[in-house]
Amino acid sequence: MSNDATSESIAHFIGLMQLSSEEARLRQDYDAFTAARAAEREAEMRDGKAARIKDDHKLKDFQPKLKVEAAADGAPAAQAGALPFPGAPNVGFAVDGGPILGPATGPLGPLLSPGAGPASYSYEYSFEVDAPGAVAGYTAQVNLLSDDDLLTASHGTEFIDPALFGAALSALTQIADAAAGFDVPLFDGNPGAGFDFAMQALDAVAAAPAGGGHGVTVVSYHGAGAQGLFISEGADAADALPTLTDLLPDLHSRDGEAHFGNLNAATTDDPYAVEDGHTVITGGNIALNESFTASSWLDAPVFAVEGAVVNIDAISQVNILIGHDIGAFDADDPGSTAINAAQIVTHATGAGAEEPTDADGVVLPFAWSVTRIEGDLLQVNWTQQYNFISDNDRAEISLSGANTYIGTGDNLLLNLTDLTQIGSGFDLIFVGGNMINVAMISQTNVLLDSDVLATQGTGVDASGGDNLLLNTAALTTHGADSHTGLTEPFAEALDTLGTGADDIDAEVAQDSLFEGAELLRVLYIEGDFATANLVEQTNIVGDADQVHLVQDAMEAATGQTATVHTGANVLANVARVTEYGTDSTVMAGGGTYSDALIHQAELIEESATPTGVSMAHLTSEAVAFLADDMIVTDETDDFSPNSIHTEDSQSVDVMQSVLA
């Protein structure tokens, strides 16, 4: 029985109300369910559970472009399909007819075997190798410090003008220059300049002085005799280069009683507190140069060079120390330490000792790529480090009370260079010009530490020595080269490449030198291939101090002993050049020139003359160490790196007077 229109409208409305109510209840349940699932996924992520990824896509085997043509006589053609070495690199070669790339058992054997018929196959894929770029870096680090302090009281002490000690230091610097094994030639990087630089370096190494003059002791090792570790006479025997931290004077050693002037904040809550007693430090300077170069830039197992091959490894080390102390210094004052330590060593890598072969014979390259570089290819790392300290202090000190610390030295100058270069490797490198590899390290330390000390009052524990002059250098090569003449096939390849060709013949690419390689990476350098790692390190320190120490009557009654350090200077040069490569066969059309040098020179003059006379008398004695022509102060004196290397100031008479 049907309802009337009014009843139908009422029933329809009630139904809509019921549907809306049910949807709201379902929405509430759905939202709660969704929130619970989201919280569960978030908890899984926090627990570190791996994400589940579903991917139905499957990678197919490599399918090169292979063109197969039926034989002219109607013989069945070889079956097209994937190569027998899936995943082969993107190489380029062409085959037409027979197995010209090697035995039928090689990677193309199944396609090129006699049973495959005279079908014609054409491979059409190629690979390219990016050309390496040139590297040229010049680093100059210079520290100049003038710390000539003047402390005066009411005693009217007469002091020597520090400019006179500066003149003596300049003369010592020139002696050090004359005693050096070589001057590093200029490498300006202009086209073709590499060979001139190499010849100048070769001449400089060959002309290293056998003696330094002015009492300088020189020891030199040349050629094969320069291979190994060499430590100057008087140093402890060792099988490795000495370490700076093991040789520091007690004043700088953290295990010593007087680390940096007895200011050890660990012993007190007050960082400015002074330990009991009296301490005066006018020396204690540190001048340190450190240079580290690690290069794995460009190498190959085989080089073919049209011009000459030049290899030079050279180290020059000089230590000059003049320390004539006058006054109340301890008779058992520790002497100074001067060490030259150098090492030149080459390690064979053993590359190619095990050559990969297939089941039936030696594998030769079946593809090759030639990369061309027009002009020269250079790698130059040139580092110059220079420290200069003038710390000629004049101090008139009166001690009173319980504790005193006076420091007019304790300066620190540091230069640090750390270079790492990583390049690329090839299997064969052609050089149209010359192949040059030069590594040179030059290190110089010069210290003038002639001090004057006069005392009045109780005892003084005074040290004017305990200086350290240290040079350590290492030239290390990983990869030994064997040299031979340029064979005819490689000479012809160089001629062809020199005319602009971008490929080489199979006779060269499949030479027995490349056994075990399937793909050959070839680099052609039109000009010179030059590598130069040059390090120059110099420390010049003047620490000629004049100290007049007076203790008043009250202090004398306490019996306190004052500690004075006018020495304990550290001059150190540390350099290391390491070249990483592989064992190589080097064929040179223009001959091979090689030399090595380790040159070590030193002049150490120390003496102490304890006396109890007045400061004025000691000053007059100190003047006797200076030549008459040094007493006139030159108003243009400038101890910058360029001004101390003058050509007209060397005088035998001058230095005989200074060293008398």
Side-chain angles (χ1 to χ4, degrees):
M1 172 178 161
S2 60
N3 296 327
D4 55 31
T6 302
S7 299
E8 287 286 346
S9 298
I10 294 173
H12 182 69
F13 177 76
I14 293 174
L16 291 177
M17 290 285 291
Q18 291 174 341
L19 290 175
S20 298
S21 177
E22 185 66 20
E23 180 180 358
R25 287 194 294 269
L26 291 175
R27 169 60 61 183
Q28 182 178 5
D29 294 339
Y30 176 77
D31 290 343
F33 172 76
T34 302
R37 289 295 299 155
E40 181 180 348
R41 287 195 298 270
E42 183 178 355
E44 289 179 357
M45 295 179 65
R46 286 197 302 267
D47 293 340
K49 295 183 179 180
R52 295 186 296 270
I53 300 175
K54 183 178 180 181
D55 189 354
D56 295 332
H57 177 70
K58 302 297 182 183
L59 295 176
K60 297 181 180 180
D61 291 337
F62 176 68
Q63 298 287 340
K65 179 180 179 182
L66 183 62
K67 178 181 179 182
V68 181
E69 299 177 357
D73 57 2
Q79 296 295 322
L83 287 176
F85 47 103
N90 194 21
V91 300
F93 58 90
V95 181
D96 189 2
I100 63 173
L101 294 184
T105 55
L108 299 181
L111 294 179
L112 300 178
S113 59
S120 176
Y121 306 94
S122 177
Y123 253 145
E124 298 179 3
Y125 53 22
S126 62
F127 76 102
E128 295 181 357
V129 179
D130 293 336
V135 177
Y138 172 64
T139 303
Q141 298 177 316
V142 178
N143 290 318
L144 304 176
L145 173 64
S146 178
D147 186 33
D148 299 333
D149 298 317
L150 174 61
L151 302 179
T152 60
S154 58
H155 302 285
T157 302
E158 296 180 5
F159 292 118
I160 304 173
D161 188 343
L164 303 181
F165 293 108
L169 181 62
S170 180
L172 290 176
T173 301
Q174 295 177 52
I175 289 181
D177 290 342
F182 52 79
D183 291 327
V184 177
L186 175 65
F187 193 170
D188 57 19
N190 291 325
F195 185 73
D196 292 338
F197 161 78
M199 291 297 99
Q200 293 176 24
L202 198 64
D203 292 341
V205 169
H214 307 294
V216 178
T217 302
V218 174
V219 178
S220 294
Y221 308 90
H222 282 270
Q227 296 291 323
L229 173 63
F230 300 87
I231 301 179
S232 58
E233 184 178 355
D236 295 335
D239 55 3
L241 291 171
T243 303
L244 173 61
T245 54
D246 295 336
L247 299 170
L248 287 174
D250 287 342
L251 184 65
H252 303 292
S253 173
R254 295 190 179 277
D255 296 329
E257 297 178 356
H259 171 56
F260 286 105
N262 284 334
L263 292 180
N264 189 349
T267 62
T268 177
D269 295 332
D270 185 356
Y272 301 101
V274 177
E275 293 185 357
D276 293 342
H278 305 290
T279 300
V280 177
I281 298 178
T282 61
N285 300 288
I286 298 178
L288 174 60
N289 293 313
E290 291 186 307
S291 175
F292 307 106
T293 302
S295 174
S296 179
W297 178 54
L298 181 62
D299 205 351
V302 180
F303 287 88
V305 183
E306 188 167 356
V309 173
V310 182
N311 290 304
I312 300 174
D313 289 326
I315 297 174
S316 172
Q317 299 176 319
V318 179
N319 281 326
I320 304 291
L321 167 61
I322 303 300
H324 291 184
D325 296 330
I326 302 175
F329 291 97
D330 297 345
D332 58 350
D333 187 13
S336 298
T337 301
I339 297 177
N340 287 320
Q343 184 177 46
I344 298 178
V345 62
T346 299
H347 300 287
T349 62
E354 278 186 36
E355 297 171 343
T357 61
D358 61 16
D360 298 313
V362 175
V363 172
L364 294 174
F366 65 85
W368 50 89
S369 173
V370 177
T371 303
R372 292 181 59 92
I373 291 180
E374 308 299 330
D376 297 339
L377 182 61
L378 307 178
Q379 182 204 25
V380 180
N381 297 309
W382 195 349
T383 300
Q384 291 181 316
Q385 297 176 319
Y386 186 94
N387 287 319
F388 176 83
I389 299 177
S390 177
D391 185 36
N392 301 307
D393 299 321
R394 295 163 291 171
E396 188 180 33
I397 301 172
S398 296
L399 298 177
S400 61
N403 307 321
T404 305
Y405 171 80
I406 297 176
T408 60
D410 240 356
N411 301 290
L412 170 62
L413 270 62
L414 169 64
N415 292 314
L416 173 61
T417 300
D418 194 344
L419 303 176
T420 301
Q421 294 174 342
I422 300 176
S424 55
F426 287 80
D427 301 298
L428 169 61
I429 296 179
F430 288 99
V431 180
N434 305 288
M435 180 175 169
I436 298 160
N437 192 320
V438 177
M440 306 180 79
I441 298 176
S442 176
Q443 299 175 317
T444 301
N445 289 319
V446 177
L447 172 62
L448 175 61
D449 185 34
S450 295
D451 303 312
V452 178
L453 174 63
T455 61
Q456 293 178 353
T458 60
V460 175
D461 182 7
S463 171
D466 203 18
N467 300 289
L468 172 64
L469 278 66
L470 176 65
N471 290 316
T472 66
L475 295 176
T476 305
T477 302
H478 295 273
D481 294 343
S482 59
H483 298 272
T484 183
L486 187 62
T487 61
E488 184 176 351
F490 285 87
E492 293 177 354
L494 276 167
D495 291 339
T496 303
L497 292 168
T499 62
D502 56 3
D503 197 5
I504 58 175
D505 294 336
E507 181 182 7
V508 172
Q510 295 178 330
D511 190 277
S512 60
L513 289 169
F514 309 114
E515 291 178 358
E518 295 183 350
L519 306 177
L520 200 68
R521 296 161 299 174
V522 182
L523 175 65
Y524 172 71
I525 303 170
E526 179 191 37
D528 291 339
F529 173 36
T531 300
N533 289 298
L534 314 174
V535 179
E536 298 175 86
Q537 298 176 316
T538 303
N539 292 312
I540 308 294
V541 177
D543 183 41
D545 301 314
Q546 304 168 70
V547 179
H548 186 191
L549 192 64
V550 179
Q551 294 175 294
D552 60 20
M554 180 183 69
E555 181 60 28
T558 66
Q560 286 276 18
T561 299
T563 301
V564 179
H565 295 277
T566 62
N569 298 287
V570 176
L571 286 68
N573 294 310
V574 180
R576 183 171 64 245
V577 175
T578 306
E579 297 184 9
Y580 296 92
T582 184
D583 297 344
S584 303
T585 298
V586 181
M587 296 178 285
T592 300
Y593 305 88
S594 179
D595 201 356
L597 171 68
I598 289 180
H599 176 92
Q600 297 174 329
E602 68 176 27
L603 170 61
I604 309 299
E605 289 282 348
E606 283 190 300
S607 64
T609 308
T611 66
V613 297
S614 66
M615 186 68 183
H617 180 73
L618 294 180
T619 300
S620 64
E621 288 192 17
V623 174
F625 287 99
L626 303 176
D628 293 338
D629 57 350
M630 289 186 181
I631 296 178
V632 179
T633 302
D634 185 356
E635 296 180 356
T636 62
D637 277 347
D638 177 10
F639 299 103
S640 63
N642 294 326
S643 67
I644 62 177
H645 300 285
T646 59
E647 298 180 355
D648 57 354
S649 58
Q650 286 194 9
S651 170
V652 175
D653 292 336
V654 167
M655 291 317 302
Q656 284 178 347
S657 299
V658 172
L659 304 180

mmCIF file of all heavy atoms in Angstrom, residues 259-293:
data_model
loop_
_atom_site.group_PDB
_atom_site.id
_atom_site.type_symbol
_atom_site.label_atom_id
_atom_site.label_comp_id
_atom_site.label_asym_id
_atom_site.label_seq_id
_atom_site.Cartn_x
_atom_site.Cartn_y
_atom_site.Cartn_z
ATOM 1 N N HIS A 259 108.414 24.336 31.579
ATOM 2 C CA HIS A 259 107.692 24.449 30.322
ATOM 3 C C HIS A 259 107.176 25.861 30.118
ATOM 4 O O HIS A 259 106.391 26.377 30.893
ATOM 5 C CB HIS A 259 106.522 23.463 30.319
ATOM 6 C CG HIS A 259 105.594 23.656 29.174
ATOM 7 N ND1 HIS A 259 106.026 23.633 27.878
ATOM 8 C CD2 HIS A 259 104.267 23.875 29.120
ATOM 9 C CE1 HIS A 259 105.003 23.825 27.079
ATOM 10 N NE2 HIS A 259 103.926 23.984 27.809
ATOM 11 N N PHE A 260 107.667 26.488 29.062
ATOM 12 C CA PHE A 260 107.276 27.848 28.715
ATOM 13 C C PHE A 260 107.341 28.790 29.917
ATOM 14 O O PHE A 260 106.377 29.459 30.285
ATOM 15 C CB PHE A 260 105.878 27.871 28.101
ATOM 16 C CG PHE A 260 105.842 27.353 26.709
ATOM 17 C CD1 PHE A 260 105.328 26.106 26.432
ATOM 18 C CD2 PHE A 260 106.364 28.098 25.660
ATOM 19 C CE1 PHE A 260 105.321 25.621 25.141
ATOM 20 C CE2 PHE A 260 106.356 27.615 24.374
ATOM 21 C CZ PHE A 260 105.831 26.368 24.117
ATOM 22 N N GLY A 261 108.495 28.824 30.510
ATOM 23 C CA GLY A 261 108.746 29.816 31.556
ATOM 24 C C GLY A 261 108.093 29.506 32.878
ATOM 25 O O GLY A 261 107.730 30.417 33.620
ATOM 26 N N ASN A 262 107.940 28.201 33.199
ATOM 27 C CA ASN A 262 107.371 27.813 34.489
ATOM 28 C C ASN A 262 105.947 28.317 34.679
ATOM 29 O O ASN A 262 105.455 28.382 35.797
ATOM 30 C CB ASN A 262 108.237 28.326 35.655
ATOM 31 C CG ASN A 262 109.492 27.494 35.828
ATOM 32 O OD1 ASN A 262 109.508 26.322 35.465
ATOM 33 N ND2 ASN A 262 110.540 28.091 36.348
ATOM 34 N N LEU A 263 105.286 28.681 33.594
ATOM 35 C CA LEU A 263 103.899 29.136 33.714
ATOM 36 C C LEU A 263 102.996 27.952 33.422
ATOM 37 O O LEU A 263 102.507 27.776 32.310
ATOM 38 C CB LEU A 263 103.616 30.284 32.743
ATOM 39 C CG LEU A 263 104.343 31.586 33.062
ATOM 40 C CD1 LEU A 263 103.980 32.640 32.037
ATOM 41 C CD2 LEU A 263 103.995 32.069 34.453
ATOM 42 N N ASN A 264 102.790 27.105 34.381
ATOM 43 C CA ASN A 264 101.971 25.915 34.212
ATOM 44 C C ASN A 264 100.660 26.137 34.951
ATOM 45 O O ASN A 264 100.577 26.002 36.167
ATOM 46 C CB ASN A 264 102.702 24.683 34.751
ATOM 47 C CG ASN A 264 101.977 23.398 34.391
ATOM 48 O OD1 ASN A 264 100.850 23.440 33.928
ATOM 49 N ND2 ASN A 264 102.635 22.271 34.608
ATOM 50 N N ALA A 265 99.622 26.482 34.176
ATOM 51 C CA ALA A 265 98.343 26.819 34.801
ATOM 52 C C ALA A 265 97.709 25.622 35.492
ATOM 53 O O ALA A 265 96.828 25.778 36.326
ATOM 54 C CB ALA A 265 97.392 27.385 33.748
ATOM 55 N N ALA A 266 98.152 24.400 35.151
ATOM 56 C CA ALA A 266 97.552 23.212 35.751
ATOM 57 C C ALA A 266 97.864 23.114 37.244
ATOM 58 O O ALA A 266 97.202 22.390 37.982
ATOM 59 C CB ALA A 266 98.045 21.958 35.033
ATOM 60 N N THR A 267 98.890 23.821 37.702
ATOM 61 C CA THR A 267 99.288 23.735 39.105
ATOM 62 C C THR A 267 98.601 24.774 39.974
ATOM 63 O O THR A 267 98.824 24.815 41.168
ATOM 64 C CB THR A 267 100.808 23.906 39.228
ATOM 65 O OG1 THR A 267 101.163 25.208 38.754
ATOM 66 C CG2 THR A 267 101.545 22.870 38.398
ATOM 67 N N THR A 268 97.786 25.608 39.374
ATOM 68 C CA THR A 268 97.151 26.666 40.153
ATOM 69 C C THR A 268 95.836 27.055 39.500
ATOM 70 O O THR A 268 95.627 26.850 38.305
ATOM 71 C CB THR A 268 98.066 27.899 40.250
ATOM 72 O OG1 THR A 268 97.372 28.929 40.957
ATOM 73 C CG2 THR A 268 98.434 28.413 38.867
ATOM 74 N N ASP A 269 94.949 27.616 40.295
ATOM 75 C CA ASP A 269 93.675 28.088 39.762
ATOM 76 C C ASP A 269 93.805 29.446 39.094
ATOM 77 O O ASP A 269 92.909 29.881 38.380
ATOM 78 C CB ASP A 269 92.639 28.168 40.893
ATOM 79 C CG ASP A 269 92.318 26.790 41.463
ATOM 80 O OD1 ASP A 269 92.448 25.811 40.708
ATOM 81 O OD2 ASP A 269 91.956 26.714 42.658
ATOM 82 N N ASP A 270 94.903 30.109 39.336
ATOM 83 C CA ASP A 270 95.123 31.430 38.762
ATOM 84 C C ASP A 270 96.009 31.302 37.514
ATOM 85 O O ASP A 270 97.190 30.941 37.616
ATOM 86 C CB ASP A 270 95.799 32.335 39.785
ATOM 87 C CG ASP A 270 95.947 33.757 39.271
ATOM 88 O OD1 ASP A 270 95.589 33.999 38.101
ATOM 89 O OD2 ASP A 270 96.442 34.613 40.025
ATOM 90 N N PRO A 271 95.462 31.572 36.313
ATOM 91 C CA PRO A 271 96.286 31.410 35.105
ATOM 92 C C PRO A 271 97.445 32.381 35.034
ATOM 93 O O PRO A 271 98.370 32.184 34.251
ATOM 94 C CB PRO A 271 95.283 31.656 33.972
ATOM 95 C CG PRO A 271 94.208 32.489 34.587
ATOM 96 C CD PRO A 271 94.105 32.040 36.015
ATOM 97 N N TYR A 272 97.406 33.460 35.849
ATOM 98 C CA TYR A 272 98.486 34.437 35.829
ATOM 99 C C TYR A 272 99.433 34.265 37.015
ATOM 100 O O TYR A 272 100.317 35.096 37.230
ATOM 101 C CB TYR A 272 97.912 35.855 35.825
ATOM 102 C CG TYR A 272 97.011 36.118 34.637
ATOM 103 C CD1 TYR A 272 95.630 36.074 34.768
ATOM 104 C CD2 TYR A 272 97.562 36.373 33.377
ATOM 105 C CE1 TYR A 272 94.807 36.296 33.673
ATOM 106 C CE2 TYR A 272 96.743 36.590 32.284
ATOM 107 C CZ TYR A 272 95.369 36.550 32.436
ATOM 108 O OH TYR A 272 94.565 36.762 31.347
ATOM 109 N N ALA A 273 99.254 33.196 37.747
ATOM 110 C CA ALA A 273 100.112 32.979 38.911
ATOM 111 C C ALA A 273 101.524 32.612 38.471
ATOM 112 O O ALA A 273 101.743 32.050 37.398
ATOM 113 C CB ALA A 273 99.532 31.876 39.786
ATOM 114 N N VAL A 274 102.487 32.941 39.292
ATOM 115 C CA VAL A 274 103.896 32.664 39.029
ATOM 116 C C VAL A 274 104.387 31.669 40.066
ATOM 117 O O VAL A 274 104.099 31.806 41.266
ATOM 118 C CB VAL A 274 104.732 33.961 39.082
ATOM 119 C CG1 VAL A 274 106.209 33.652 38.876
ATOM 120 C CG2 VAL A 274 104.233 34.942 38.031
ATOM 121 N N GLU A 275 105.129 30.667 39.619
ATOM 122 C CA GLU A 275 105.654 29.690 40.549
ATOM 123 C C GLU A 275 106.681 30.329 41.465
ATOM 124 O O GLU A 275 107.247 31.393 41.179
ATOM 125 C CB GLU A 275 106.276 28.524 39.778
ATOM 126 C CG GLU A 275 105.249 27.708 39.017
ATOM 127 C CD GLU A 275 105.870 26.486 38.367
ATOM 128 O OE1 GLU A 275 107.096 26.324 38.470
ATOM 129 O OE2 GLU A 275 105.128 25.692 37.761
ATOM 130 N N ASP A 276 106.945 29.641 42.548
ATOM 131 C CA ASP A 276 107.883 30.165 43.535
ATOM 132 C C ASP A 276 109.264 30.350 42.917
ATOM 133 O O ASP A 276 109.720 29.533 42.105
ATOM 134 C CB ASP A 276 107.974 29.214 44.732
ATOM 135 C CG ASP A 276 106.669 29.157 45.517
ATOM 136 O OD1 ASP A 276 105.855 30.083 45.349
ATOM 137 O OD2 ASP A 276 106.464 28.183 46.263
ATOM 138 N N GLY A 277 109.940 31.402 43.317
ATOM 139 C CA GLY A 277 111.281 31.669 42.831
ATOM 140 C C GLY A 277 111.293 32.762 41.775
ATOM 141 O O GLY A 277 110.292 33.447 41.528
ATOM 142 N N HIS A 278 112.449 32.910 41.150
ATOM 143 C CA HIS A 278 112.647 33.959 40.150
ATOM 144 C C HIS A 278 113.041 33.319 38.825
ATOM 145 O O HIS A 278 113.971 32.510 38.775
ATOM 146 C CB HIS A 278 113.745 34.927 40.595
ATOM 147 C CG HIS A 278 113.495 35.523 41.952
ATOM 148 N ND1 HIS A 278 112.500 36.439 42.188
ATOM 149 C CD2 HIS A 278 114.104 35.304 43.148
ATOM 150 C CE1 HIS A 278 112.517 36.786 43.464
ATOM 151 N NE2 HIS A 278 113.481 36.099 44.067
ATOM 152 N N THR A 279 112.348 33.679 37.776
ATOM 153 C CA THR A 279 112.630 33.138 36.446
ATOM 154 C C THR A 279 112.719 34.282 35.447
ATOM 155 O O THR A 279 111.822 35.133 35.388
ATOM 156 C CB THR A 279 111.534 32.164 35.990
ATOM 157 O OG1 THR A 279 111.464 31.079 36.915
ATOM 158 C CG2 THR A 279 111.838 31.620 34.599
ATOM 159 N N VAL A 280 113.801 34.269 34.671
ATOM 160 C CA VAL A 280 114.002 35.267 33.614
ATOM 161 C C VAL A 280 114.266 34.507 32.311
ATOM 162 O O VAL A 280 115.192 33.687 32.249
ATOM 163 C CB VAL A 280 115.176 36.205 33.930
ATOM 164 C CG1 VAL A 280 115.399 37.183 32.775
ATOM 165 C CG2 VAL A 280 114.924 36.953 35.232
ATOM 166 N N ILE A 281 113.453 34.778 31.298
ATOM 167 C CA ILE A 281 113.615 34.119 30.001
ATOM 168 C C ILE A 281 113.770 35.193 28.935
ATOM 169 O O ILE A 281 112.842 35.971 28.671
ATOM 170 C CB ILE A 281 112.416 33.218 29.663
ATOM 171 C CG1 ILE A 281 112.288 32.101 30.696
ATOM 172 C CG2 ILE A 281 112.576 32.631 28.265
ATOM 173 C CD1 ILE A 281 111.104 31.196 30.459
ATOM 174 N N THR A 282 114.945 35.243 28.328
ATOM 175 C CA THR A 282 115.169 36.156 27.211
ATOM 176 C C THR A 282 115.334 35.407 25.894
ATOM 177 O O THR A 282 115.416 36.034 24.839
ATOM 178 C CB THR A 282 116.419 37.016 27.460
ATOM 179 O OG1 THR A 282 117.557 36.151 27.575
ATOM 180 C CG2 THR A 282 116.268 37.833 28.730
ATOM 181 N N GLY A 283 115.415 34.080 25.959
ATOM 182 C CA GLY A 283 115.514 33.247 24.745
ATOM 183 C C GLY A 283 114.214 32.492 24.535
ATOM 184 O O GLY A 283 113.132 33.065 24.584
ATOM 185 N N GLY A 284 114.332 31.165 24.306
ATOM 186 C CA GLY A 284 113.144 30.331 24.188
ATOM 187 C C GLY A 284 112.315 30.576 22.953
ATOM 188 O O GLY A 284 111.118 30.284 22.935
ATOM 189 N N ASN A 285 112.911 31.114 21.874
ATOM 190 C CA ASN A 285 112.154 31.363 20.651
ATOM 191 C C ASN A 285 112.014 30.080 19.821
ATOM 192 O O ASN A 285 112.900 29.221 19.830
ATOM 193 C CB ASN A 285 112.848 32.433 19.805
ATOM 194 C CG ASN A 285 112.980 33.746 20.560
ATOM 195 O OD1 ASN A 285 112.014 34.448 20.782
ATOM 196 N ND2 ASN A 285 114.213 34.062 20.970
ATOM 197 N N ILE A 286 110.919 29.981 19.084
ATOM 198 C CA ILE A 286 110.683 28.839 18.205
ATOM 199 C C ILE A 286 110.386 29.361 16.802
ATOM 200 O O ILE A 286 109.463 30.161 16.608
ATOM 201 C CB ILE A 286 109.509 27.963 18.682
ATOM 202 C CG1 ILE A 286 109.804 27.372 20.065
ATOM 203 C CG2 ILE A 286 109.238 26.850 17.678
ATOM 204 C CD1 ILE A 286 108.673 26.526 20.612
ATOM 205 N N ALA A 287 111.172 28.909 15.829
ATOM 206 C CA ALA A 287 110.932 29.210 14.414
ATOM 207 C C ALA A 287 110.796 27.874 13.697
ATOM 208 O O ALA A 287 111.754 27.103 13.619
ATOM 209 C CB ALA A 287 112.073 30.029 13.824
ATOM 210 N N LEU A 288 109.613 27.602 13.158
ATOM 211 C CA LEU A 288 109.317 26.275 12.610
ATOM 212 C C LEU A 288 108.702 26.398 11.223
ATOM 213 O O LEU A 288 107.737 27.143 11.020
ATOM 214 C CB LEU A 288 108.354 25.535 13.545
ATOM 215 C CG LEU A 288 107.812 24.185 13.076
ATOM 216 C CD1 LEU A 288 108.937 23.195 12.831
ATOM 217 C CD2 LEU A 288 106.815 23.629 14.094
ATOM 218 N N ASN A 289 109.275 25.653 10.265
ATOM 219 C CA ASN A 289 108.711 25.516 8.917
ATOM 220 C C ASN A 289 108.375 24.047 8.677
ATOM 221 O O ASN A 289 109.227 23.176 8.875
ATOM 222 C CB ASN A 289 109.713 25.972 7.854
ATOM 223 C CG ASN A 289 110.003 27.456 7.914
ATOM 224 O OD1 ASN A 289 109.089 28.275 8.010
ATOM 225 N ND2 ASN A 289 111.279 27.820 7.855
ATOM 226 N N GLU A 290 107.168 23.786 8.214
ATOM 227 C CA GLU A 290 106.757 22.424 7.885
ATOM 228 C C GLU A 290 106.078 22.422 6.523
ATOM 229 O O GLU A 290 105.187 23.240 6.263
ATOM 230 C CB GLU A 290 105.802 21.865 8.939
ATOM 231 C CG GLU A 290 106.442 21.600 10.286
ATOM 232 C CD GLU A 290 105.497 20.920 11.255
ATOM 233 O OE1 GLU A 290 104.377 21.451 11.449
ATOM 234 O OE2 GLU A 290 105.856 19.872 11.811
ATOM 235 N N SER A 291 106.499 21.492 5.664
ATOM 236 C CA SER A 291 105.912 21.381 4.328
ATOM 237 C C SER A 291 105.741 19.904 3.986
ATOM 238 O O SER A 291 106.708 19.136 4.050
ATOM 239 C CB SER A 291 106.800 22.062 3.279
ATOM 240 O OG SER A 291 106.296 21.859 1.980
ATOM 241 N N PHE A 292 104.512 19.514 3.619
ATOM 242 C CA PHE A 292 104.208 18.138 3.269
ATOM 243 C C PHE A 292 103.479 18.122 1.928
ATOM 244 O O PHE A 292 102.450 18.791 1.760
ATOM 245 C CB PHE A 292 103.330 17.482 4.339
ATOM 246 C CG PHE A 292 103.896 17.595 5.733
ATOM 247 C CD1 PHE A 292 103.335 18.469 6.654
ATOM 248 C CD2 PHE A 292 104.997 16.852 6.120
ATOM 249 C CE1 PHE A 292 103.849 18.592 7.927
ATOM 250 C CE2 PHE A 292 105.519 16.968 7.395
ATOM 251 C CZ PHE A 292 104.949 17.839 8.297
ATOM 252 N N THR A 293 104.024 17.371 0.979
ATOM 253 C CA THR A 293 103.427 17.258 -0.350
ATOM 254 C C THR A 293 103.252 15.784 -0.692
ATOM 255 O O THR A 293 104.229 15.019 -0.661
ATOM 256 C CB THR A 293 104.311 17.919 -1.417
ATOM 257 O OG1 THR A 293 104.504 19.308 -1.084
ATOM 258 C CG2 THR A 293 103.659 17.829 -2.788
#
